[in-house]
Amino acid sequence: MMDELLAYLANQTSFLNLDDIDIIFTASKLAEVFHVKRNTISHYLNKLSEEGLLVKVNTRPVYYFHKETFDDQFYPLETALYQSIDEIIAEKPFLEEHQDIFSLLIGGDESLSKSIKQVKAALNYPDNGLPTLFTGESGTGKSYFVKIIYEYCVLKGLLDEDAPFITVNCAQYANNPELLTSTLFGYVKGAFTGADEQKKGAFEYANNGILFLDEIHRLNPEGQEKLFTYMDQGFIYRVGDPNQAIPLKVRLFFATTESLESSFLTTFIRRIPIQIELPPLSKRSKNERIELVYSFLIAEQRKFGKPLCISGQVLTILTSGELKGNIGELKNIVKITVAKAFSEQQYLDDIHLTIYHLPEKILDNAGIEFQSYSYQEIYIDEHSSSKEMVQSSNPNRQKILSTFENMLIEFQKNDYDLDKCDGQFKKEIDLLFDILVFEADHRQNNEVLLYLIRYMRETFNQMESSYQIRFNGNSVYALSYYMFERGSSRLVSDVLGVNDLIQKLETAIEKSYPLSYHYVERILELCQPKIDLDICSMDKIILTLYLKHVDWTKELGIPKAIIVAHGYSTASSIANVTNRFLGKDIFDSFDMPLTTTPKEIATQIMEYSEQNDISNGLIILVDMGSLKEIYPLFQERITTPVVIINNVTTSLALAVGENIQEHLTLENVMKESVAQNPFEWKVIYPKRNKMKAIITTCFTGIGTASQISHLLEKSLPTRCELKILPLEYNVLRNEQKNLEIFSKYDVLGIIGTANPNVADIPYLSLEGVISGYENTILSKWLEPVLTEKENITFNENVVRNFSLEKVIESVTILDTEKVMQVIESFIRNLEISFQDSLTNSQKIALYVHISCLIERLIRNMPIENYDGVEYLLQCHKKEISLIKKAFSVIEKDYSVKIPLSELSYIYDILFKKFDPMPINDEF
């Protein structure tokens, strides 16, 4: 009675709803089901509760449900006794992996995830689903998979609760095809000798349910052809009655261990659109194999009723050997091992399983190579569940979930203020990735992990090429390990308000770290088709916080800095302390053996420079007199300035890091850093092989220059070795070639809205680029860095990206068409007021500048400073007045007021001669 009661409650608990508990979980209802007195059933229920097998809830009425089933299906409970349902609900985690009946399949979120998606597609297909064929070696779980499919269909309402599930093993009829035909389709009286009465076949018995034909390769070609009629038309004929069609609704599933090419008609296979190959045990991951072993051991413990103690070596061997019978053979080996141990120790309280209880067959297959990874001894009793055991043996996925839960709680506690959470978030992320990268045991030759690392490296290479950025070397491994431990399962939460909280946090992260968030979105977008990851907000939030230092490098444009020191951890210690004080990862480090020569140091640094973006310069802090020996080795090879400074200390590194963050030039970084100390330093500029660069500029500020730069970058081939650098017009015009940029780069030319007249540097107007008549000159500039074919592609991209509409679209978020309409009206008003025509150059400049101007004014961020405002008011009052009058159309449409400083820049466009133009074309 107790066993029957426990089994009944295990089944019912799978359908438990804590918000509306069915009376089936009460003693009085259970007494009715089992036809016994209420006090008898209560005695059994309380006894099972005391043993920890049932959860007891002391409400009125008292409820009882199966603990292990609840733990597996919902979430682990801390105890077996509760005073209210609310106490149980309070233990529910913020986040959990999405669970359905397919979660019972071990590997459902790993090796079988793709198969499950295919099955769900087949089951939910209209008109009774799609026929499905399972292939795979013997013992891979084909029959069990189909049983789970049946339960899924019932739970989802695809089949009625009493729908039939019929299995026919075709191997039993291999030598009698006629008998198989009659077994499948039935027959009428007199159809053959011995047919004394009419009889239904498996198809009719399976109507409105599932028919599973196992070992379908034993069905001969004639038998396969007889299935065509049903698969094509939805009805069958009984043997002996070819005129009476019987319409049926049967979901068909097949299984075979043979190859499809050698055992089936092509016309038969073509009628089965869903074909799923289940992997052999040797192809299942380490996690899946240990979970299978745990589930079999727990089943044996329940049968024998005594705790099991299993040695780590037994677990290692059980999960390592190759078995021809796959899961079925593994299950039998576990049975034999436990039975042998029990026969020797049946009088002991605990049964100990050692290698001496394993069958000789599996010991013969356990080679030395399997000893590289070992499990710890485990203990299984009546409270153990495979889910909890797997989590304890592989806790990293739970660590990811708990990290995210901690972040959500912190964000909520600080009233959704991301700035207040920043410090705690950094600690959580650092700790998580320290565990994933450095503490997790990745010694296993796991094919999935190796695949992830390989594909992640390709993705990062593509990102670096597209965005002209460089990721930290550990990032490839960090993201690969994260995704490996994260798995493909879908995360859900039904805790009230949690989904809104997650959305708020993601929005705050995206707003605060837009570049990192964008990079993560792109990385996940590129990865998703290859790694079957069900991307969620948690992934975007955690990975954005991990990668946000990429934004610092990209946005600040600061030089790279490294510390090179002799000793086991001297350089890394100084770098670590300095980075923590600065709050940002400024320094990388090289720890060198004492015997390392200057040439070896130089070689390693050159390798580093090839793998990292040092286009903004490289600062090297060394520990002892290597300066004179090292720098000659660089001068002939470098393409960007390199600074080397001797006698590094933590205080010097801090000073250098602080000055780097102040955006000082390389020389000023050094001057400021050593002002109080007699350090030796030198800036080494390349003599040849400088990196090529193009400067973009706009006399109204850096904003438009940056957008021109962005459009040029989009037009270039992804792997082009060319820097596009935006610069302030006034800085460029005043400083000329004194700017550090001309020492660092071989500047091919300048593109902008106004010519800064830098000596010996050619200039192209933005109007010329947009109109296309100067693109031949631009192509000539790029001949040193582009092949002829790449130059043709570049020109095509420029034509597409530098249409006037595209340029305006890139400089403003406003409606491009409307902006162009009001600017066209403004230009028409100007020409009427001044009774003259504007040049194309002036019109282009006005379109671009006024697009930015309108957005600035809407955002209440006008340009407030203009040198010479008083002079314009005194000497050109009439012109300023006419310009302001022409602006009335823009002020009216956008409800803004044009300040005098902005009017002054329009005056410059109209009356200052920035670009060379024929005299008769001047305004």
Side-chain angles (χ1 to χ4, degrees), residues 51-250:
E51 293 177 4
L53 299 176
L54 296 182
V55 174
K56 180 179 181 179
V57 188
N58 268 328
T59 53
R60 291 191 179 183
V62 177
Y63 295 109
Y64 300 86
F65 52 84
H66 197 270
K67 187 175 189 305
E68 182 180 353
T69 302
F70 187 93
D71 289 350
D72 285 339
Q73 292 282 71
F74 302 102
Y75 51 91
L77 295 177
E78 295 178 1
T79 183
L81 179 63
Y82 293 89
Q83 300 304 315
S84 69
I85 297 297
D86 289 340
E87 288 183 6
I88 297 175
I89 294 174
E91 290 186 13
K92 184 177 180 63
F94 261 24
L95 293 167
E96 56 187 342
E97 297 175 13
H98 175 69
Q99 301 285 331
D100 59 25
I101 194 66
F102 287 112
S103 302
L104 297 176
L105 287 170
I106 293 171
D109 59 347
E110 293 184 43
S111 64
L112 299 183
S113 61
K114 184 177 180 181
S115 301
I116 290 171
K117 289 178 182 178
Q118 288 179 280
V119 164
K120 288 182 177 179
L123 295 177
N124 289 288
Y125 192 83
D127 299 327
N128 213 39
L130 296 172
T132 301
L133 171 64
F134 288 97
T135 64
E137 297 176 9
S138 176
T140 51
K142 299 183 288 295
S143 299
Y144 183 64
F145 205 137
V146 178
K147 290 177 183 177
I148 296 295
I149 287 172
Y150 172 79
E151 294 183 37
Y152 176 84
C153 289
V154 172
L155 286 171
K156 291 293 182 179
L158 299 173
L159 295 175
D160 293 336
E161 287 188 16
D162 58 350
F165 177 74
I166 306 298
T167 298
V168 176
N169 190 328
C170 299
Q172 297 175 359
Y173 307 91
N175 299 317
N176 195 337
E178 290 78 13
L179 179 59
L180 177 57
T181 300
S182 62
T183 299
L184 291 175
F185 300 103
Y187 54 84
V188 296
K189 184 176 180 180
F192 50 83
T193 302
D196 298 329
E197 58 181 350
Q198 180 173 290
K199 190 173 181 179
K200 291 182 179 180
F203 263 94
E204 287 183 77
Y205 283 114
N207 190 30
N208 294 315
I210 285 177
L211 176 59
F212 174 42
L213 303 184
D214 200 3
E215 305 290 349
I216 189 67
H217 58 274
R218 295 298 186 93
L219 190 64
N220 63 16
E222 292 77 13
Q224 293 175 35
E225 287 177 345
K226 289 177 180 177
L227 290 174
F228 289 179
T229 301
Y230 177 74
M231 288 193 283
D232 290 343
Q233 302 176 33
F235 53 80
I236 64 165
Y237 294 95
R238 290 182 182 143
V239 176
D241 190 1
N243 299 316
Q244 182 62 45
I246 303 174
L248 299 171
K249 290 187 68 176
V250 177

Side-chain angles (χ1 to χ4, degrees), residues 86 90 96 129 158 218 254 350 384 496 590 615 810 908:
D86 289 340
E96 56 187 342
L158 299 173
R218 295 298 186 93
F254 310 100
D350 299 338
S384 301
L496 188 63
F590 287 83
S615 57
S810 73
D908 285 348

Side-chain angles (χ1 to χ4, degrees), residues 441-484:
D441 194 331
H442 300 295
R443 292 176 294 171
Q444 309 168 56
N445 187 23
N446 187 289
E447 291 181 3
V448 175
L449 179 57
L450 294 175
Y451 172 82
L452 286 173
I453 293 172
R454 183 173 67 251
Y455 190 73
M456 188 60 65
R457 186 176 286 115
E458 293 173 4
T459 301
F460 271 46
N461 289 340
Q462 184 175 343
M463 290 286 295
E464 290 176 347
S465 175
S466 300
Y467 292 97
Q468 297 186 9
I469 55 178
R470 291 292 183 270
F471 289 100
N472 179 286
N474 279 337
S475 297
V476 169
Y477 293 98
L479 267 68
S480 300
Y481 294 155
Y482 171 85
M483 290 177 180
F484 176 70

Side-chain angles (χ1 to χ4, degrees), residues 478-728:
L479 267 68
S480 300
Y481 294 155
Y482 171 85
M483 290 177 180
F484 176 70
E485 302 293 357
R486 157 77 168 82
S488 61
S489 57
R490 183 161 59 91
L491 301 179
V492 296
S493 175
D494 56 8
V495 177
L496 188 63
V498 168
N499 290 326
D500 289 340
L501 179 60
I502 293 172
Q503 186 59 52
K504 286 181 180 178
L505 178 55
E506 183 179 357
T507 302
I509 292 287
E510 180 182 7
K511 183 177 179 181
S512 296
Y513 314 119
L515 274 180
S516 287
Y517 184 84
H518 173 67
Y519 295 151
V520 165
E521 274 200 315
R522 182 59 180 154
I523 288 170
L524 294 175
E525 180 184 335
L526 291 170
C527 288
Q528 189 176 24
K530 294 287 186 179
I531 63 176
D532 292 330
L533 180 67
D534 196 336
I535 295 168
C536 68
S537 295
M538 180 187 75
D539 304 312
K540 295 179 184 178
I541 291 169
I542 288 178
L543 295 181
T544 296
L545 290 172
Y546 173 75
L547 283 183
K548 71 173 183 175
H549 68 272
V550 175
D551 278 1
W552 303 333
T553 303
K554 176 79 172 177
E555 291 177 343
L556 296 176
I558 61 175
K560 297 292 289 184
I562 60 176
I563 298 172
V564 182
H566 296 83
Y568 177 73
S569 62
T570 307
S572 56
S573 296
I574 295 175
N576 183 52
V577 171
T578 305
N579 288 338
R580 286 182 180 271
F581 269 107
L582 295 173
K584 292 177 182 173
D585 294 328
I586 300 295
F587 289 96
D588 289 320
S589 59
F590 287 83
D591 294 309
M592 298 287 185
L594 292 172
T595 55
T596 304
T597 65
K599 185 175 181 180
E600 289 171 334
I601 295 175
T603 300
Q604 289 207 36
I605 295 174
M606 288 308 300
E607 289 176 358
Y608 172 86
S609 68
E610 291 168 3
Q611 297 169 3
N612 292 270
D613 180 13
I614 64 166
S615 57
N616 295 303
L618 175 65
I619 298 174
I620 307 171
L621 277 62
V622 295
D623 63 337
M624 57 181 77
S626 305
L627 173 60
K628 289 183 175 62
E629 292 83 359
I630 292 177
Y631 88 81
L633 301 171
F634 285 117
Q635 203 159 17
E636 296 301 317
R637 296 178 62 185
I638 61 173
T639 60
T640 189
V642 175
V643 176
I644 303 177
I645 183 167
N646 261 335
N647 305 320
V648 61
T649 62
T650 302
S651 59
L652 174 62
L654 278 170
V656 171
E658 288 169 351
N659 288 313
I660 287 174
Q661 290 178 304
E662 292 296 324
H663 291 262
L664 300 181
T665 64
L666 288 177
E667 292 198 8
N668 286 336
V669 166
M670 291 300 99
K671 287 177 181 177
E672 293 293 330
S673 301
V674 303
Q676 305 300 320
N677 301 284
F679 292 109
E680 183 183 1
W681 63 275
K682 185 178 183 69
V683 179
I684 309 167
Y685 288 106
K687 287 184 176 180
R688 57 186 180 182
N689 298 325
K690 291 182 183 179
M691 183 176 284
K692 310 294 184 185
I694 288 177
I695 295 173
T696 60
T697 190
C698 178
F699 77 93
T700 59
I702 196 69
T704 305
S706 297
Q707 295 302 329
I708 298 171
S709 167
H710 175 66
L711 290 176
L712 279 174
E713 286 178 340
K714 284 178 63 178
S715 303
L716 287 169
T718 54
R719 298 188 182 277
C720 177
E721 292 293 328
L722 179 72
K723 293 285 279 188
I724 310 292
L725 305 166
L727 279 180
E728 296 263 5

Side-chain angles (χ1 to χ4, degrees), residues 267-545:
T267 48
F268 178 72
I269 292 300
R270 196 168 59 236
R271 285 171 166 81
I272 306 176
I274 304 296
Q275 298 168 18
I276 297 170
E277 182 178 5
L278 298 186
L281 189 61
S282 60
K283 299 294 184 183
R284 304 288 285 263
S285 71
K286 203 79 165 176
N287 288 343
E288 292 177 36
R289 280 178 278 171
I290 192 63
E291 189 171 354
L292 286 166
V293 171
Y294 286 158
S295 65
F296 298 150
L297 287 168
I298 288 172
E300 295 305 307
Q301 189 280 325
R302 299 295 188 266
K303 290 178 184 175
F304 287 97
K306 287 192 174 186
L308 302 179
C309 185
I310 304 98
S311 76
Q313 190 65 359
V314 167
L315 295 173
T316 301
I317 293 174
L318 286 174
T319 57
S320 301
E322 290 194 15
L323 305 174
K324 291 183 179 179
N326 294 292
I327 298 172
E329 186 175 353
L330 177 62
K331 185 176 182 180
N332 287 334
I333 287 171
V334 172
K335 284 179 178 288
I336 294 168
T337 303
V338 176
K340 187 175 180 182
F342 182 78
S343 67
E344 294 177 4
Q345 307 168 44
Q346 55 185 303
Y347 300 109
L348 301 178
D349 292 335
D350 299 338
I351 307 300
H352 291 259
L353 274 61
T354 68
I355 58 171
Y356 302 103
H357 302 115
L358 291 168
E360 292 181 4
K361 179 181 178 181
I362 194 171
L363 288 171
D364 291 340
N365 293 332
I368 299 297
E369 64 271 18
F370 298 134
Q371 309 311 310
S372 61
Y373 184 86
S374 296
Y375 290 94
Q376 299 297 314
E377 181 180 81
I378 62 167
Y379 185 82
I380 297 177
D381 60 16
E382 66 273 13
H383 304 297
S384 301
S385 72
S386 59
K387 184 176 181 179
E388 288 181 343
M389 292 172 69
V390 169
Q391 288 176 359
S392 64
S393 65
N394 183 22
N396 291 331
R397 185 177 299 180
Q398 289 303 310
K399 178 59 183 173
I400 292 172
L401 287 178
S402 63
T403 295
F404 190 51
E405 286 189 12
N406 293 342
M407 290 166 60
L408 290 174
I409 293 168
E410 183 75 12
F411 186 59
Q412 188 177 50
K413 186 173 69 177
N414 285 283
D415 299 323
Y416 316 118
D417 188 334
L418 191 59
D419 290 337
K420 294 179 181 177
C421 306
D422 188 61
Q424 186 60 36
F425 279 8
K426 187 176 187 306
K427 291 179 183 177
E428 292 282 354
I429 295 297
D430 286 348
L431 179 60
L432 173 62
F433 281 91
D434 279 350
I435 292 172
L436 295 181
V437 177
F438 300 112
E439 295 183 18
D441 194 331
H442 300 295
R443 292 176 294 171
Q444 309 168 56
N445 187 23
N446 187 289
E447 291 181 3
V448 175
L449 179 57
L450 294 175
Y451 172 82
L452 286 173
I453 293 172
R454 183 173 67 251
Y455 190 73
M456 188 60 65
R457 186 176 286 115
E458 293 173 4
T459 301
F460 271 46
N461 289 340
Q462 184 175 343
M463 290 286 295
E464 290 176 347
S465 175
S466 300
Y467 292 97
Q468 297 186 9
I469 55 178
R470 291 292 183 270
F471 289 100
N472 179 286
N474 279 337
S475 297
V476 169
Y477 293 98
L479 267 68
S480 300
Y481 294 155
Y482 171 85
M483 290 177 180
F484 176 70
E485 302 293 357
R486 157 77 168 82
S488 61
S489 57
R490 183 161 59 91
L491 301 179
V492 296
S493 175
D494 56 8
V495 177
L496 188 63
V498 168
N499 290 326
D500 289 340
L501 179 60
I502 293 172
Q503 186 59 52
K504 286 181 180 178
L505 178 55
E506 183 179 357
T507 302
I509 292 287
E510 180 182 7
K511 183 177 179 181
S512 296
Y513 314 119
L515 274 180
S516 287
Y517 184 84
H518 173 67
Y519 295 151
V520 165
E521 274 200 315
R522 182 59 180 154
I523 288 170
L524 294 175
E525 180 184 335
L526 291 170
C527 288
Q528 189 176 24
K530 294 287 186 179
I531 63 176
D532 292 330
L533 180 67
D534 196 336
I535 295 168
C536 68
S537 295
M538 180 187 75
D539 304 312
K540 295 179 184 178
I541 291 169
I542 288 178
L543 295 181
T544 296
L545 290 172

Side-chain angles (χ1 to χ4, degrees), residues 723-759:
K723 293 285 279 188
I724 310 292
L725 305 166
L727 279 180
E728 296 263 5
Y729 170 81
N730 287 331
V731 172
L732 193 56
R733 185 168 189 173
N734 295 334
E735 295 292 331
Q736 295 286 302
K737 282 195 170 179
N738 295 324
L739 289 169
E740 187 181 47
I741 192 171
F742 292 100
S743 298
K744 292 167 63 175
Y745 302 103
D746 179 7
V747 178
L748 302 176
I750 300 171
I751 297 175
T753 59
N755 190 350
N757 294 309
V758 178

